[in-house]
Amino acid sequence: MRVLFFSSQTYDQDSFSNTPADHGLELHFQPARLSEDTAPLASGHEVVCAFINDDLSAPVLKRLAAGGTRLIALRSAGYNHVDLAAAKQLGLAVVRVPAYSPHAVAEHAVALILALNRRLHRAYNRTREGNFSLHGLTGFDLHGKTVGVVGTGQIGAAFARIMAGFGCQLLAYDPYPNPELLALGARYLELPELLSQAQIISLHCPLTEQTRHLINPQSLAQLQPGAMLINTGRGALIDTPALIEALKDGQLGYLGLDVYEEEAQLFFEDRSDLPLQDDVLARLLTFPNVIVTAHQAFLTREALAAIAATTLDNITRWAAGNPQNLVEG
């Protein structure tokens, strides 16, 4: 069975090639992003393995199905970029990786908090230029601070455990309270209450119609002045242009993003020799209290190995007529 990987990077080829080779699959790697124009590359491949910024809209799915594709294997947990109704109509099965390493994403969120708080990005650049002044590098103790966790699934719970270890007070928002957070002493609140009480807010919820632009001008106005906002979830959880005004007037004191609503045409590529065409992102990058990383929170050896193992297992089980991790439309 032939499998074509779209949006594949060197680390994808390494992780999938290093898994046991008894799966009987013929793996092909394509660096191009899946789109209506590149879909014909999958002709003759029964399985297409797609990543988060690949286009899996109805027109693309129609082209894949016409070329003989029968399974869409997502090497990600999120599936908001898939037209599930179209997939069902075309007879395309969709499988995903529901969990890989929640620690990878949670630890990256904490890294953003620490870097922003202690101005590590600014200090690093200064010392490389021979500037050893401490002016403007004052941070704060995390111990005793109130941290709001928005979305308390596996990643949110891993993040909460780490912040509890720092001695932080935990607030949480999720329609389905997690007993693990309650055991850590977290208090579940409605979102406006959480936003008004937490000094640090970290987003770990999936992207749905209910959570799209969960953070918007109205919710930003509910923050404590100078609060820190971290997003390692999905870019569209935030109305990104609204962040600029909140940063300018000091309502938002720190911002750490590993995801961006318009990242599809930017992230995972070296564009350092090209002008940045995205005016919103360009403006955000001018603020000294903002750190943006290019969707790398998942990027650990352990997470990549788990993604590869689960994806290949999803494909072989589907081929054997015993599918798992199906995404139902």
Side-chain angles (χ1 to χ4, degrees), residues 292-309:
V292 178
T293 53
H295 211 134
Q296 71 178 76
F298 76 98
L299 197 62
T300 67
R301 289 188 294 271
E302 293 82 358
L304 289 171
I307 290 169

Side-chain angles (χ1 to χ4, degrees), residues 60-71:
V60 176
L61 293 175
K62 287 178 183 177
R63 288 207 170 194
L64 293 177
T69 297
R70 297 164 53 211
L71 174 68

Side-chain angles (χ1 to χ4, degrees), residues 260-276:
Y260 176 60
E261 188 169 9
E262 304 299 330
E263 70 178 55
Q265 303 300 326
L266 293 170
F267 286 10
F268 307 113
E269 301 289 342
D270 181 0
R271 302 181 182 276
S272 57
D273 59 346
L274 299 171
L276 182 56

Side-chain angles (χ1 to χ4, degrees), residues 147-193:
V147 176
V149 187
V150 180
T152 57
Q154 293 188 55
I155 296 173
F159 172 79
R161 289 194 298 271
I162 298 171
M163 300 315 293
F166 276 104
C168 296
Q169 305 298 312
L170 299 176
L171 303 178
Y173 169 73
D174 195 301
Y176 307 99
N178 187 336
E180 186 174 352
L181 268 82
L182 294 172
L184 290 171
R187 291 189 294 124
Y188 276 84
L189 301 174
E190 292 301 313
L191 186 60
E193 296 177 86

Side-chain angles (χ1 to χ4, degrees), residues 16 19 22 26 55 76 81-82 86 94 103 135-137 163 183 190 207 234 242 269 279 290 313 317 319 321 325:
F16 278 89
T19 54
D22 59 357
E26 185 180 332
D55 182 355
S76 62
H81 56 314
V82 185
V94 181
H103 309 290
H135 177 72
L137 301 183
M163 300 315 293
E190 292 301 313
L207 178 62
R234 288 289 180 268
E269 301 289 342
D279 292 343
V290 172
D313 192 45
R317 284 177 178 264
N325 299 321

Side-chain angles (χ1 to χ4, degrees), residues 1-7 26 28 30 32-35 38-51 54-56 60-61 63-65 67-75 92-95 311 315 318:
M1 182 176 294
R2 304 178 76 206
V3 182
L4 182 61
F5 291 74
F6 279 96
S7 299
E26 185 180 332
H28 300 272
Q30 171 57 247
R33 192 171 71 93
L34 176 58
S35 66
T38 61
L41 294 171
S43 181
H45 293 79
E46 291 180 87
V47 182
V48 161
C49 187
F51 199 44
D54 286 316
D55 182 355
L56 290 160
V60 176
L61 293 175
R63 288 207 170 194
L64 293 177
T69 297
R70 297 164 53 211
L71 174 68
I72 306 296
L74 303 175
R75 55 186 191 276
L92 291 169
V94 181
V95 292
T311 300
I315 296 170
W318 171 82

